[in-house]
C-alpha cells in the first residue's frame, strides 16, 4: 500500500529533528522536485525505462548535497528536505536556492534509455520553515503551490513560496468557478481574425479565437483562462461551445468563407472529441470542406498514433487539417511529409526574422516545401506591409496578423465577409 506523501515527509522531518537532538523548532527547507514531461518518457520509451529514469534522478538528487534527504513521493516527484541552521544569519534562503540550482543541473544531464537519449528537466518549488514552527502539512502545501508556479512558468525553473502565491491560488479557484458558470451563461464567445489571400488581399477564412465577457473582469483573452479550463476538465465543453457558435455565425457570411478552430494536444489524441466535433459540424448544415482544424506540432508528438488516427477521421469526413505554429516544436521536415495535412501555418517568430537574409531563406524553405506537397502556407503574425510583400514575393499563399485585422466579434466578421479586398499600403 502506497504511503501518502505527507506521511513520508512527517517521518523524514521527525528523523531530522532526532538527528539534530531537537523535539521541535528545526529550521528546514522543503524542495519539491517534479520531472517535466515524464509521461512523454513513459509513452516513448516504456514504463520500465521511466522507472530507470526516476532511479537515475533520485541518485543524482541525493548526490547533489550530503545534507539533503531525498524521498520519492510520487511517480515523477521527489521531496528534498534540507535542514538549515543559517537562517538567523540570512544565509538560509541562499543555501536552499543554491541547492535547487544544483538539483536542476544534476537532473538535466542526459540519460541513455535503450535506443533513446533523454534530456530531462525538472521544476522545483521551495517552502522554508525559518523558525521550525510550521507543520509538515503547511510546509508541503507551500512547496506544492510554489511548484505549480514553476510548472506554469514553463518548467525547468525554481520558484520559492511567498504569501502572494496563495492569493493567486485563491483567485485561480474563483476564476475556475466563474468559468463553469460562464460556459452555462454563454459568456464565452468566438471572435474572428481574418486570414487573407496575400495576392488578392481578399479574406479567405476566419480563425475563431475564444474571448470571455466576464461580468466583473471585463473582456478576457485565452491566455487568462485556457490553462484553467484544461486543468479543470472544461476544455472539451469550451471547444464544443465554440464550434456550435462558430458554425452558426459562419452560416451568415457571404461568399461561404472558411472557418478555422484550434484543438489542444490532448483533444487531438482523443478520438471521442473528433467524433463529437463532426456531429456538431454536420448538424449545423455547414459543408465540412469549409471547416479547418488547426493542430500544433506538439499535438502530433504527444501521441503520434492517436493523433494520426484523429486527423485521418476528420479528413475522411471532409474536414481540413492545418499544422499550426510550425517552427516552434519538434516536427522534422520528413515527418511533415508523412502527416495527412492540408496546409501549414508558419509561426510568427519566423515571420519576425524576415528582416534578415537567413530568416527570409528559412521561410522560403517552408513555403517551397508546402508548395511541393500541395499544402498552401499561411504566415502568422504579419504586422507590416513589407512583411506581407516579401511573403507574397516568395510564394506564401495566405497571411494572418494585425496588419489585416485583430480578432473581432461575429457582427464585425459578418460585415468584413461581404466587404471589398482589404486596402493595405505597400
Amino acid at each position: 500500500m502506497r504511503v501518502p506523501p505527507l506521511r513520508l515527509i512527517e517521518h523524514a522531518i521527525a528523523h531530522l529533528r532526532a538527528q539534530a537532538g531537537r523535539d521541535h523548532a528545526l529550521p528546514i527547507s522543503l524542495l519539491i522536485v517534479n520531472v517535466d514531461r515524464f509521461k512523454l518518457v513513459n509513452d516513448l520509451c516504456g514504463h520500465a525505462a521511466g522507472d530507470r529514469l526516476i532511479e537515475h534522478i533520485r541518485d543524482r538528487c541525493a548526490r547533489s548535497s550530503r545534507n539533503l534527504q531525498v524521498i520519492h513521493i510520487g511517480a515523477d516527484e521527489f521531496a528534498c528536505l534540507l535542514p538549515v541552521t543559517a537562517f538567523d544569519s540570512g544565509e538560509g534562503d541562499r543555501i536552499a536556492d543554491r541547492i535547487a540550482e544544483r538539483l536542476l543541473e544534476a537532473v538535466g544531464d542526459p540519460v541513455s534509455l535503450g535506443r533513446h537519449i533523454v534530456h530531462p528537466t525538472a521544476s522545483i518549488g521551495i517552502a522554508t520553515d525559518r523558525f521550525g514552527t510550521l507543520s509538515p502539512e503547511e510546509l508541503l502545501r507551500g512547496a506544492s503551490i510554489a511548484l505549480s508556479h514553476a510548472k506554469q512558468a514553463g518548467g525547468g525553473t525554481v520558484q520559492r513560496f511567498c504569501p502572494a502565491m496563495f492569493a493567486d491560488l485563491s483567485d485561480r479557484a474563483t476564476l475556475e468557478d466563474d468559468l463553469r458558470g460562464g460556459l452555462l451563461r454563454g459568456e464565452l464567445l468566438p471572435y474572428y481574425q481574418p486570414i487573407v489571400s496575400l495576392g488578392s488581399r481578399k479574406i479567405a477564412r476566419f480563425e475563431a479565437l475564444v474571448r470571455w465577457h466576464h461580468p466583473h473582469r471585463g473582456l478576457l483573452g485565452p491566455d487568462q483562462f485556457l490553462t484553467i479550463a484544461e486543468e479543470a476538465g472544461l476544455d472539451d465543453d469550451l471547444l464544443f461551445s465554440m464550434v456550435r457558435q462558430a458554425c452558426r455565425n459562419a452560416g451568415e457570411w457571404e461568399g461561404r468563407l472558411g472557418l478555422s478552430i484550434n484543438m489542444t494536444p490532448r483533444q487531438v489524441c482523443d478520438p471521442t472529441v473528433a467524433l463529437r466535433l463532426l456531429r456538431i459540424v454536420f448538424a449545423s448544415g455547414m459543408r465540412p470542406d469549409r471547416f479547418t482544424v488547426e493542430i500544433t506540432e506538439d499535438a502530433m508528438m504527444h501521441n503520434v498514433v492517436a493523433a494520426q488516427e484523429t486527423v485521418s477521421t476528420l479528413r475522411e469526413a471532409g474536414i481540413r487539417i492545418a499544422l499550426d505554429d510550425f517552427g516552434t516544436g519538434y516536427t522534422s521536415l520528413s515527418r511533415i511529409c508523412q502527416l495527412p495535412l492540408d496546409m501549414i501555418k508558419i509561426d510568427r517568430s519566423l515571420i519576425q526574422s524576415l528582416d534578415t537574409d537567413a530568416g527570409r531563406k528559412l521561410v522560403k524553405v517552408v513555403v517551397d516545401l508546402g508548395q511541393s506537397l500541395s499544402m498552401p502556407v499561411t504566415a502568422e503574425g504579419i504586422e507590416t506591409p513589407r512583411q506581407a510583400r516579401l511573403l507574397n514575393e516568395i510564394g506564401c499563399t495566405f497571411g494572418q496578423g494585425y496588419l489585416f485585422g485583430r480578432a473581432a466579434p461575429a457582427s464585425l466578421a459578418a460585415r468584413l465577409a461581404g466587404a471589398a479586398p482589404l486596402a493595405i499600403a505597400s
Side-chain angles (χ1 to χ4, degrees), residues 248-390:
R248 185 165 57 247
N249 294 152
E252 303 172 359
W253 298 341
E254 292 186 21
R256 314 300 288 175
L257 300 178
L259 169 68
S260 293
I261 203 159
N262 296 277
M263 289 177 68
T264 68
R266 186 200 62 77
Q267 289 168 339
V268 173
C269 296
D270 185 344
T272 65
V273 172
L275 293 174
R276 289 187 64 185
L277 185 149
L278 287 175
R279 284 198 291 269
I280 294 171
V281 173
F282 287 127
S284 73
M286 182 177 182
R287 282 177 44 187
D289 61 357
R290 290 180 61 200
F291 196 97
T292 299
V293 168
E294 298 189 4
I295 64 175
T296 63
E297 296 179 59
D298 286 345
M300 298 304 298
M301 295 299 295
H302 186 70
N303 186 330
V304 175
V305 174
Q308 287 179 331
E309 181 180 346
T310 297
V311 167
S312 297
T313 297
L314 293 172
R315 290 187 84 242
E316 288 170 5
I319 302 291
R320 298 175 184 271
I321 305 295
L323 184 64
D324 195 14
D325 298 337
F326 180 72
T328 61
Y330 303 103
T331 303
S332 65
L333 295 182
S334 61
R335 185 176 293 277
I336 289 287
C337 299
Q338 299 169 4
L339 296 176
L341 300 170
D342 296 288
M343 58 190 78
I344 299 171
K345 296 187 74 175
I346 308 176
D347 186 71
R348 64 183 67 245
S349 60
L350 294 183
I351 303 309
Q352 291 170 355
S353 70
L354 280 172
D355 288 336
T356 67
D357 184 59
R360 285 192 297 275
K361 289 178 179 177
L362 181 59
V363 172
K364 190 174 189 314
V365 166
V366 179
V367 171
D368 289 346
L369 173 68
Q371 290 178 341
S372 67
L373 298 173
S374 300
M375 296 181 190
V377 175
T378 299
E380 299 180 288
I382 300 176
E383 298 181 355
T384 68
R386 182 173 184 273
Q387 289 174 337
R389 177 176 55 79
L390 289 173

Side-chain angles (χ1 to χ4, degrees), residues 113-315:
L113 298 175
R115 294 177 300 158
H116 301 278
I117 303 294
V118 177
H119 297 263
T121 61
S123 301
I124 300 177
I126 305 176
T128 296
D129 181 6
R130 291 178 175 80
F131 307 105
T133 57
L134 297 179
S135 70
E137 183 178 5
E138 290 170 322
L139 199 58
L140 176 58
R141 186 188 309 137
S144 297
I145 291 172
L147 175 64
S148 294
H149 279 71
K151 300 292 280 187
Q152 290 167 23
T157 61
V158 177
Q159 291 286 330
R160 174 177 288 281
F161 175 77
C162 64
M165 288 183 177
F166 189 80
D168 289 344
L169 188 67
S170 178
D171 183 67
R172 188 181 180 89
T174 299
L175 200 61
E176 180 182 324
D177 287 340
D178 291 348
L179 183 59
R180 293 180 188 278
L183 279 166
L184 295 174
R185 293 187 294 269
E187 295 169 2
L188 289 102
L189 303 171
Y191 272 43
Y192 301 94
Q193 186 174 33
I195 298 173
V196 308
S197 167
L198 290 176
S200 67
R201 300 298 168 90
K202 291 183 178 180
I203 297 175
R205 63 187 187 277
F206 287 97
E207 180 178 356
L209 302 165
V210 64
R211 297 292 185 269
W212 183 3
H213 287 264
H214 193 284
H216 306 299
R217 304 180 189 226
L219 186 66
L220 303 183
D223 59 311
Q224 296 172 277
F225 59 86
L226 273 190
T227 299
I228 295 175
E230 291 180 24
E231 293 177 353
L234 298 172
D235 49 333
D236 288 352
D237 292 336
L238 180 57
L239 171 66
F240 301 141
S241 174
M242 291 302 103
V243 173
R244 288 189 191 94
Q245 295 181 72
C247 287
R248 185 165 57 247
N249 294 152
E252 303 172 359
W253 298 341
E254 292 186 21
R256 314 300 288 175
L257 300 178
L259 169 68
S260 293
I261 203 159
N262 296 277
M263 289 177 68
T264 68
R266 186 200 62 77
Q267 289 168 339
V268 173
C269 296
D270 185 344
T272 65
V273 172
L275 293 174
R276 289 187 64 185
L277 185 149
L278 287 175
R279 284 198 291 269
I280 294 171
V281 173
F282 287 127
S284 73
M286 182 177 182
R287 282 177 44 187
D289 61 357
R290 290 180 61 200
F291 196 97
T292 299
V293 168
E294 298 189 4
I295 64 175
T296 63
E297 296 179 59
D298 286 345
M300 298 304 298
M301 295 299 295
H302 186 70
N303 186 330
V304 175
V305 174
Q308 287 179 331
E309 181 180 346
T310 297
V311 167
S312 297
T313 297
L314 293 172
R315 290 187 84 242

